Amino acid sequence: MRSTEGKRRLAALASESNQAKILEAPLTVIIGYDLAFAARLPQLFPARGEAMQRQFEADTALSASTAFRNGSLQGAYLILAARALGLDTGPMSGFDNAGVDAAFFTGTEVKSNFICSIGYGSDKNLFPRNPRLSFEEAGRFA
Ligand SMILES: Cc1cc2nc3c(=O)[nH]c(=O)nc-3n(C[C@H](O)[C@H](O)[C@H](O)COP(=O)(O)O)c2cc1C
């Protein structure tokens, strides 16, 4: 969303505390995932695209988990790329996914995952950096 109208439509579907973060940012991105991604495999993976397309199209659960995983990774790469350019990013999950899908992705198989405002942040209204789990709390070697 870059236009005032687009930001207004998205903000209306976001939780109250997220609305200003959408309206005041220069840009807010909807990161989605395409449940029909398999149709693109012959183009994107010519070596085995048609066989993989058939495999995914025969297994909707596998298609959905693959689309969600890879779409999430793409969203994380978008955040890293924006930050590498010196921009600030504000990822948010506080919005009405079904409402956003109906408003922005009707007629497609794309579903919203999360939204992310991009711009130059200020220290105003920021929470302090949150604590992190230690490696011992969050991971283990096997
Ligand atoms: C799963 C998830 C959902 C989030 N949803 C929101 C949200 O709806 N609105 C918001 O302002 N921040 C949200 N945040 C937090 C911000 O994006 C936060 O700035 C980010 O996690 C970095 O803060 P930290 O470094 O202190 O963890 C969310 C974070 C996570 C991990």
Side-chain angles (χ1 to χ4, degrees), residues 52-76:
M52 288 181 69
Q53 180 181 358
R54 282 194 296 277
Q55 186 191 350
F56 280 115
E57 287 178 350
D59 189 340
T60 50
L62 177 67
S63 258
S65 63
T66 303
F68 187 67
R69 179 186 315 113
N70 287 289
S72 298
L73 285 169
Q74 297 298 327

Side-chain angles (χ1 to χ4, degrees), residues 47-120:
R48 287 188 38 220
E50 280 167 26
M52 288 181 69
Q53 180 181 358
R54 282 194 296 277
Q55 186 191 350
F56 280 115
E57 287 178 350
D59 189 340
T60 50
L62 177 67
S63 258
S65 63
T66 303
F68 187 67
R69 179 186 315 113
N70 287 289
S72 298
L73 285 169
Q74 297 298 327
Y77 298 147
L78 174 77
I79 292 171
L80 293 178
R83 288 180 172 169
L85 293 172
L87 291 156
D88 294 311
T89 57
M92 295 173 261
S93 60
F95 67 98
D96 169 5
N97 285 78
V100 165
D101 295 350
F104 296 98
F105 298 130
T106 295
T108 76
E109 292 288 310
V110 177
K111 305 291 172 200
S112 56
N113 182 346
F114 67 97
I115 59 177
C116 185
S117 289
I118 298 180
Y120 295 100

Side-chain angles (χ1 to χ4, degrees), residues 15 17-18 21 83 89-95 128-132:
S15 64
S17 61
N18 284 337
K21 298 170 189 176
R83 288 180 172 169
T89 57
M92 295 173 261
S93 60
F95 67 98
R129 187 176 189 270
N130 282 315
R132 265 50 176 170

